[in-house]
Amino acid sequence: MSIMKASVIITTYKQALILDVILQSLLNQKTKYEYEILVCDDGTDDGSNYELVKKYANNQQKIGIRYLWQQDKGFRAAAARNMGIESANGEVAILLDGDMIPDPDYVQRHTSFHATHKKAVLTGGRLLLDDSKFFKGIKKKLDLQNLLAFIKDNSVINSDEEEFRYNWSTGDHPWMAVFSCNLSFPISQHSIYSEMLEGWGVEDWDLSKRLYQNGHTIYYDRSLLAYHVDF
């Protein structure tokens, strides 16, 4: 049996500074699974995100990285994510927002979960680092390992959000626990976002509810972390 392959889909807009760290972390994942990275740009027009992808395209790990772009017509995260989902070569989509830095075991934990849980939706937790100016300064001084350690040590949990999501995930409306900033699901005809929904958050619930109604089980793992740097 072949080993499951994942497609990591990053939705970004004018976030080159943090995208640089995200790509470094994704290129240094501790995992047995094969994966690719798709950077889905919601209209950045200064070339900064594209240049980053070029910089890392010929990485030593030989992990495929592709850059997908759509015109800036407002906040269209659903359409940007669909670019990645529709272009993906993997069996599982792992979604990550452009201000979320993943742990070194991020790909392993998401992908291994789907290897043993069929028709599952897995959504993880997030810690918040809300001092972007400090992050910009410290990024220049630390290598990746020490930068990730710094972010982990200086991030905080939103305990109210965590409690709400846990209660939703174990209640009658588990799709409400789903945040696309840290999410994975099997790629299928059902795993497409509604592009009629624009703005923040509603498209997450719409997709997860449709997957739930199609027989997917929704899991919330608060220990599966990515770090939200507030820009």
Side-chain angles (χ1 to χ4, degrees), residues 7 31 34 48 82 92 95 104 107 111 128 137 140 172 181 188 230:
S7 297
T31 181
E34 183 181 355
S48 55
N82 282 345
V92 172
L95 274 62
V107 170
T111 311
L128 176 64
K140 301 175 183 177
D172 295 333
C181 61
S188 72
D230 190 16

Side-chain angles (χ1 to χ4, degrees), residues 55-67:
K55 173 184 174 182
Y56 291 114
N58 296 318
N59 57 83
Q60 293 183 344
Q61 297 88 339
K62 300 188 183 303
I63 296 169
I65 304 179
R66 285 183 281 156
Y67 177 77

